[in-house]
Every structure is written in C-alpha cells, then in structure tokens.
Amino acid sequence: MTSIRVSLVAMLIAAFTLVSFLAALLGYRASMDRAEELLDTQLRYAVDILRYHDAVGAEATGANSPERQIDSPERQIDSPEPGADSPGPEGDKSLQPGEGFAFQVWRDDQLLQHAGVPGSEPMASFDAGFDYANFGGFRWRTLTVAGADGTWYQVAERADLRFTLAERVVMESVLPLLTWLPVAAVLIWFLVGWGLAPLRSLSQQINRKASDDLEPLVFPTPPVELRPVVGSTNALLARLSSALQRERDFASHAAHELRTPISGLKIHLHNLSQDLSADHPSLCHIRADVDRMQHLVEQLLDISRTQPELMRGHFATVNLHALAERVAASLWPLFSEAGLSLSLGGEDCTVQGDEVMLDTLLRNLLDNARKYAGRGSEVEVTTGMDEGRPCLVVTDDGPGIPAAERDQVFRRFYRVDDSSGVGGAGLGLAIVWQIAQLHGAEVRLDTPPPGKGLAVRVYFPVAEASQ
Amino acid sequence: MLINSVILVLREVLEAAILVTALLALARVIQLGFNWLWPAAVASVAGVIGLASALGPLTDMLDGTGQEVTNAALQIGVFFVVCAVILDTRERSDGRHYSAFTGPLMALAVALAVTREGSEVLLYVRGFAAVESYRQAVLLGSALGAGIGVSAGTLCYWALVTRPGRLAYRLCLASLCLLGAGMVMQGVMLLEQAGWLLNVDPVWNSSWLVSEESVTGELLYAVLGYEATPGRVQLGLYLASLALAISASIYAARSPYRGGQTS
C-alpha cells in the first residue's frame, strides 16, 4: 500500500533538492568565473606595478643591472619588518613559491628581476596574455605582458590558492541550502498534509457512512480535483438508493402477489380433498409440493427483506428469553407432530434489535433443528449472558454439521450433503446470518458437550439495558 | 575543489542510484516487495568498507593493475547479475513475476554496484577531507553531488512506477539493459587501462559533440558508459552485452503466461 502523502513528499523533496543544488552549482560556477576575472585584473595591476617599479628603479639607478631581485609588493605591504635589511643582489629568499605569487622580468633573453620562482627559466612562453603553467611543483595562472625595448613582464599566481578565498565565500552561500534541507523537508511534509486534507475528509466521510446510509456526501465546496469524485459518488448513491427502493417495493409486492395464488391453491386443495379420498396419492403429492412452495416463497421473501442494504430495522430493546418463549410455544405443535422434544432454558437477557427479525431468526434455527435433528431428538433453546454478551443458543442432538462445512452453510442455497432426504432450499441459515449481521451479532456453530448434535450460538452486542 | 568533488561524487552516486532505483521500481512493479533491501544494504556497507580497506594491497596485485581489474570484474559482475534478474522476472503459471531467487539476485546486484561506486567515493572523501584546506569544499561538494544523484534516482523511480503496469515493467527492463551494457563498457575501459585489452582503431570520434571531460560527458559515462572514441573491441563488447540484455528482456516480457497483472 503506497501513501499519496509519502510519495508526494519524496518527489517534492527530490525535485527541490535537485533543482536547488543544480542552481547552487550554476551560481557557484558563475561566481567563480567572476572571481577569476577579478583575480586576473589583480594580476594586471601587479604587472603595472612591476613596470612602474622597474621604470622608477631604472631612473633612480640610471642603469639596469643585469640581474637583480626586488621585494615583492606583498612583502612590502603585508609584512613590514622594521629594521629589516634591504634585499641584496642575490635576491630576497622570503618570497617562496609556496607563498603563491611570483614574477620575472626578462629582456633580450636575460632575466632582470624575479621573485618567488627560480630564475633559470621563463615561467611561461613569451606570448602576451593569460595562461596556465606548471612549475615549482604547482599549477600557476600566468600573465605575460610585453614592455618597451623587448622587456617581458611575467607574473604568476598559484592556481590552487587564488580561488581559496573566493571559493570559501561562495561556499558560505551554498552551505545553507544543505543545512536547511531538513527544515524544507519538514515544511513540505506538513504542507502536503494540509493540501491533502480535503481528500482525507472525503475518505473519513465515506468511512463513517453506515451500510444503509445512502444520503449524499456533504461537501459544500469541494476542490476542483475532488469535484468529479464527489459528484460521481453522490450520483451513484442516488442510483443505488433508487434501485434499493425498487427492490424493497418488489419484495413487498411479490409477497402479496405470491402468497395470494398459493392461498388459492390451498383452498382448492382443501376442496379437492372433499371430493377425493384424503390419502389420494396425487393429492398428497400436490399438498406436499404446495407446502414446500409456500415455505420457499416465505424464505425467499425473508432473505430479500433482511438484506442489510434493504432493511431499515426498527430497533428497540427486546427480551430474548420472552421472544424465545413465544416462538417455542408457537412451534411446539410442529415439534410434537414430528416426534421431537422442545425445551426452553436460561434466563432473561435483552438486546437491541428488531423483534420481527429476531423472531424470524429463531424460527429458522428451530425449523432447521426440527428438520435435520431427526425423530426422537431433543432440541433446547437457551438464552442468557455468555462471554459477557447476550447469547441465544439452539442445541440439538441430531447428526450435526461436519466441521469442514460449517463456514459454508451460511451461503445461500448451500445444503449439507446428507442422505436424510429432508427437503429444503438451503436458505434458513443464510437468513439467520443476514439477520445476525443486521444486529451486529456473531454466529458460531459447534458440537455441544456430549459430542453429538449441533449448537448454534448467536452472540449479540451488549445492549445498554442489559449492562 | 568543490566542483571537482561534485562531479566525482555525482558520477559515482548517479550510476549506483539509477541502478538501485531501476531495481526498486522493478521490484514494485512485479510486486516482489522490498525485503531484499536489508541484506543488500548490509552487504553494500560491508563491501564498501572492505574494498576501500583492501584497495592498497589490491592495487599492487597483477603488476599494479589490481584495482582496475577488480573494478572491471565488479562492473561486469553487475551486468550478469542484472541479466539474471531480468530473466527471473518472467511470468510464471501462477501469475507471479518472481521466484525465491529474484530478491537475493537484486540484493547482489545492488551490493556489487554500491561496493564499486561507494568505495571510490569513500576513498576520495577520506583522502581529501583529511586536508584542512580542502575539507569544507570536499564535504560540501560530496553532499551536493550525492544529493543530486539520489534526487535524480528518486525522480526516476517515481517516473517508472507511475507508468501503467505493463509499460512500467518494460521501461524497467529497458533501463536495466542500458545500465548493464554501460557497466560492461566501463569495465572494458578499465581493462584497457590495465593493459588487458587494446583500444585501437577508434570507430568514431564524438568529442566535438560531447567531450568526455565535460560535465555531460562525465554523467553520460556514469549512466551509459559513454566513450567519445570507442575502439572496435569496446564497441563490439558493448553491443554484444546490450544484445544479451535485450534478448533476456524480450524473453522475460514475452514469457508464456501473459494474463497476470504487473502492477
């Protein structure tokens, strides 16, 4: 199961990270390009200073010594050492390649001045402009400028050091992107949650709906994306409601329309029995078939009427024991005629339910027991509290139902394969199951303690009156 | 330094991230689940640390070509495991697209790929981060590179799994074919560096279009094994591996039982 929220948050964080990091890299490259321009400009200034220094020095001394070294501008500016000796003709050793700056002044292939680099070879070729060169164990950015009288000025700055400061400055601006990413993730998580609130609300509203609640969803101003869903769901609910109403009407009309001809048939059978002998074989067969048809019609109507989608139960507090007493009394003649004993036990207990439906439930259970337990069996109805819940139990000592089939006997038209020859449509326990569902009750089948027969236990939810 | 770190880490992370996400997407599409990720993660961490620690002795092996040969073996190993994964996703009679071996095979492919790429990143970061002046740039660049790689992988994953079932399955297989063949290409290049194969007579030179040194070239190398001047042997092995992977994919996609849902 995937969560829309988790998916959206993951995608948004990934997209945000990708775009912001790429933007940061582009910004970094642009900043470094700009920094390189500035640093190159500094190299130009250094060459200008060098040329100026060279010109002033030449005027002051009146001659150019063939090779002399001078202090670097940096040393004179950054590291003034009061009382320090002036550099001798062999050069100032304080400006080393490791300091990151070097220069040379060449004229007619002769080195006039240099610093920060051994003077044997030119730092770069004598082509005017910027370039990169490797010497002294480092990579350098070089600038070569042609002066007057065949003089070449070369200045160089270590490539690895020249960007250090610039890179540090740029990185300080990129770093917050990384450190604030978790904050962005948390923010995205909550924002997506808020954005999905209407969907959650719709889902909760549908979840809360009872199975028989076909009223339209209440969503006064649904978002554009949910409008079709709400519209379609409400249209579906309306169609469903209409279809169920038609089915309710059909069940009601069918009950009347089917019962009337069956009653007519029975009257005509009674009339026929006056003309024919009472034990005429054809008459007996027709009477049995009509009884079976009447029973089947009643069961079909029961199962239609008790569908949770159709049923609108009129729940009230019902005393199960009193109900069982009434039903048992009404069915006792049938049991007696079939040679079975029927007894009632237990105590008063109340449930919230529809009395007519509960009457049908118990009648079906007892009808089943009467049919399948067999002549001479004992059937007992018990009511009372069991496992802290109101419970109705119908027990018989007949052949029972094999454990493997107990889950299936609640299916409509399912019949246990037996050789008793008992007629039936396989609807009795299906009706029991439906009515139990309507009442939120649980139905269990087991074998009663002697190890023979069948016990059907119906556990009802605790009713307020019985608490 | 920062940009170098980004490119190096991104190159390694992107390759592993795309492979892992293609396998993750395939696992989701065939409804395998993600239980195999745990052993894959443990094996990957162990592999990265193990290979990074043993790289010194490894490099000295085989006349100094041990590292290249090991990395090439890992790359080519990933390709064969990926082919096995593809074959193992054929549809069975019960509608499933996986067997008891699919998860372990995916875990093995991930572990091999992450070991190869992760050890490179670990060595790089550990080496340069030890230098005070480089530390911030390397760590920041690595984080940016890893972030971009993982984000790209995540978006690829969602792009794959949000396609309709059968199309998602085919796209996953196509991604794995290209990634697998790219790994073979990289492995072949490593063997050339080690002198085990000769790169003669370049079939073409596409440097004018995409230079290997450019950022695009680096990323194409990472994902598809891009080479601007491929030799005949390189090209032949690349095409052969691509053909093998595609054949496995066709076999898997056209397996006898076509009725099952793939998502």
Side-chain angles (χ1 to χ4, degrees):
Chain A
M1 183 66 73
T2 54
S3 153
I4 294 178
R5 186 179 193 176
V6 172
S7 306
L8 275 178
V9 169
M11 278 193 283
L12 286 173
I13 292 175
F16 174 77
T17 306
L18 188 66
V19 172
S20 59
F21 282 16
L22 284 175
L25 283 183
L26 291 175
Y28 168 84
R29 290 185 72 166
S31 302
M32 294 308 281
D33 287 346
R34 179 70 185 135
E36 182 160 24
E37 285 175 18
L38 291 173
L39 291 166
D40 285 348
T41 306
Q42 280 188 347
L43 279 184
R44 274 201 196 92
Y45 290 154
V47 168
D48 290 345
I49 291 169
L50 197 58
R51 292 172 68 178
Y52 175 75
H53 183 278
D54 195 30
V56 170
E59 284 174 11
T61 58
N64 287 329
S65 58
E67 182 177 342
R68 61 192 171 93
Q69 289 186 326
I70 62 170
D71 273 345
S72 74
E74 284 85 347
R75 184 168 183 272
Q76 289 170 348
I77 294 166
D78 294 335
S79 308
E81 293 179 16
D85 293 338
S86 296
E90 289 309 308
D92 183 2
K93 305 298 182 193
S94 64
L95 190 59
Q96 299 299 319
E99 293 190 41
F101 187 80
F103 70 83
Q104 289 177 334
V105 180
W106 293 82
R107 183 178 298 147
D108 299 331
D109 294 335
Q110 278 196 321
L111 183 65
L112 302 183
Q113 299 171 17
H114 70 97
V117 61
S120 54
E121 294 291 330
M123 294 189 295
S125 61
F126 291 123
D127 294 321
F130 289 100
D131 201 355
Y132 281 97
N134 299 322
F135 56 85
F138 296 100
R139 186 160 178 78
W140 299 74
R141 176 71 162 168
T142 62
L143 172 61
T144 303
V145 175
D149 308 328
T151 307
W152 288 92
Y153 299 92
Q154 292 191 324
V155 292
E157 195 175 14
R158 253 176 61 186
D160 59 325
L161 295 181
R162 71 196 306 247
F163 287 115
T164 303
L165 181 62
E167 191 169 65
R168 195 165 296 156
V169 171
V170 177
M171 279 195 298
E172 292 300 326
S173 64
V174 173
L175 194 59
L177 268 181
L178 210 64
T179 51
W180 281 81
L181 193 61
V183 179
V186 172
L187 203 60
I188 289 172
W189 174 263
F190 283 111
L191 289 175
V192 168
W194 292 337
L196 290 175
L199 191 60
R200 206 163 40 243
S201 162
L202 177 66
S203 157
Q204 284 168 352
Q205 204 176 130
I206 293 172
N207 268 344
R208 277 199 302 268
K209 264 188 169 306
S211 63
D212 58 346
D213 179 7
L214 298 177
E215 291 300 312
L217 298 169
V218 182
F219 223 119
T221 51
V224 175
E225 292 80 3
L226 285 186
R227 209 166 287 162
V229 179
V230 174
S232 305
T233 308
N234 282 341
L236 185 67
L237 285 171
R239 284 201 301 276
L240 196 59
S241 176
S242 165
L244 290 178
Q245 183 59 46
R246 280 199 301 275
E247 200 170 331
R248 260 196 300 273
D249 293 345
F250 170 79
S252 165
H253 296 151
H256 176 72
E257 296 299 328
L258 287 171
R259 277 176 183 149
T260 306
I262 289 172
S263 300
L265 270 176
K266 294 193 95 168
I267 291 167
H268 289 302
L269 269 176
H270 178 76
N271 293 340
L272 268 178
S273 66
Q274 306 298 314
D275 301 334
L276 299 171
S277 63
D279 56 351
H280 191 281
S282 295
L283 199 60
C284 291
H285 286 307
I286 292 173
R287 188 180 290 125
D289 286 342
V290 169
D291 284 345
R292 200 158 52 241
M293 185 164 69
Q294 185 180 22
H295 183 67
L296 177 63
V297 166
E298 291 296 336
Q299 281 198 316
L300 281 171
L301 291 173
D302 280 345
I303 206 156
S304 170
R305 277 199 300 260
T306 56
Q307 281 183 46
E309 299 81 9
L310 297 178
M311 176 66 193
R312 285 184 178 163
H314 302 289
F315 279 28
T317 303
V318 178
N319 185 330
L320 266 187
H321 193 74
L323 176 87
E325 197 172 28
R326 196 169 59 248
V327 174
S330 71
L331 293 179
W332 189 83
L334 290 175
F335 275 74
S336 180
E337 188 183 323
L340 286 89
S341 72
L342 176 61
S343 58
L344 176 67
E347 57 191 11
D348 281 349
C349 66
T350 54
V351 297
Q352 285 293 319
D354 184 304
E355 192 160 356
V356 177
M357 291 293 114
L358 292 174
D359 183 290
T360 307
L361 179 147
L362 183 54
R363 277 179 191 280
N364 274 284
L365 286 179
L366 288 174
D367 198 37
N368 247 33
R370 182 175 61 83
K371 281 184 187 168
Y372 295 102
R375 182 171 283 274
S377 297
E378 292 180 2
V379 178
E380 185 182 14
V381 182
T382 315
T383 61
M385 298 298 286
D386 187 12
E387 299 178 3
R389 294 182 286 175
C391 184
L392 169 71
V393 187
V394 176
T395 315
D396 67 59
D397 56 356
I401 297 175
E405 293 191 66
R406 284 177 189 164
D407 286 341
Q408 303 180 55
V409 292
F410 296 109
R411 285 162 47 192
R412 294 178 186 185
F413 301 106
Y414 184 86
R415 298 194 61 218
V416 178
D417 186 22
D418 69 351
S419 54
S420 62
V422 178
L427 288 172
L429 285 178
I431 293 168
V432 168
W433 180 261
Q434 268 190 190
I435 295 174
Q437 293 292 304
L438 268 172
H439 288 80
E442 179 190 356
V443 186
R444 289 189 209 159
L445 301 182
D446 58 41
T447 307
K452 184 170 180 285
L454 180 71
V456 184
R457 301 175 198 277
V458 186
Y459 291 91
F460 291 89
V462 178
E464 284 180 13
S466 66
Q467 281 179 330
Chain B
M1 199 65 206
L2 183 132
I3 205 80
N4 292 340
S5 304
V6 170
I7 290 172
L8 188 134
V9 173
L10 176 59
R11 199 178 67 177
E12 305 299 339
V13 170
L14 190 65
E15 184 178 353
I18 300 281
L19 180 77
V20 171
T21 51
L23 287 172
L24 279 173
L26 184 61
R28 176 164 159 169
V29 166
I30 64 172
Q31 299 177 339
L32 171 64
F34 300 123
N35 288 338
W36 54 274
L37 264 183
W38 299 109
V42 172
S44 300
V45 171
V48 167
I49 295 172
L51 185 60
S53 309
L55 209 58
L58 266 179
T59 308
D60 295 335
M61 288 167 62
L62 303 169
D63 298 328
T65 61
Q67 186 184 351
E68 285 80 6
V69 174
T70 305
N71 285 338
L74 285 171
Q75 301 276 45
I76 294 168
V78 172
F79 168 73
F80 283 113
V81 178
V82 163
C83 284
V85 168
I86 292 172
L87 280 176
D88 206 33
T89 60
R90 67 190 180 280
E91 191 174 2
R92 270 72 174 183
S93 56
D94 59 359
R96 286 185 310 156
H97 280 259
Y98 57 87
S99 71
F101 300 106
T102 317
L105 282 171
M106 285 187 174
L108 181 62
V110 168
L112 289 176
V114 174
T115 296
R116 153 88 178 95
E117 316 300 344
S119 60
E120 299 263 326
V121 173
L122 184 65
L123 280 175
Y124 174 79
V125 173
R126 209 164 59 182
F128 279 99
V131 182
E132 173 69 30
S133 55
Y134 292 154
R135 186 174 299 147
Q136 191 185 13
V138 167
L139 292 179
L140 185 59
S142 303
L144 288 177
I148 293 171
V150 172
S151 302
T154 307
L155 292 177
C156 281
Y157 172 78
W158 288 112
L160 284 173
V161 298
T162 48
R163 300 304 98 208
R166 202 77 193 170
L167 177 63
Y169 177 60
R170 288 175 179 169
L171 283 175
C172 287
L173 295 189
S175 308
L176 288 174
C177 288
L178 288 172
L179 287 166
M183 290 205 164
V184 170
M185 189 72 159
Q186 290 180 22
V188 171
M189 282 191 252
L190 285 166
L191 289 177
E192 282 172 359
Q193 284 175 29
W196 283 35
L197 290 174
L198 288 178
N199 183 16
V200 290
D201 303 329
V203 181
W204 67 69
N205 186 348
S206 54
S207 300
W208 59 273
L209 189 62
V210 181
S211 165
E212 284 176 29
E213 283 75 35
S214 67
V215 175
T216 312
E218 293 270 8
L219 297 183
L220 282 175
Y221 168 82
V223 179
L224 302 173
Y226 173 72
E227 160 76 89
T229 54
R232 288 181 198 283
V233 177
Q234 263 185 3
L235 193 63
L237 286 172
Y238 176 80
L239 291 176
S241 57
L242 191 61
L244 184 63
I246 289 174
S247 303
S249 299
I250 291 172
Y251 173 74
R254 294 190 172 180
S255 49
Y257 304 98
R258 295 189 192 182
Q261 291 293 311
T262 54
S263 71

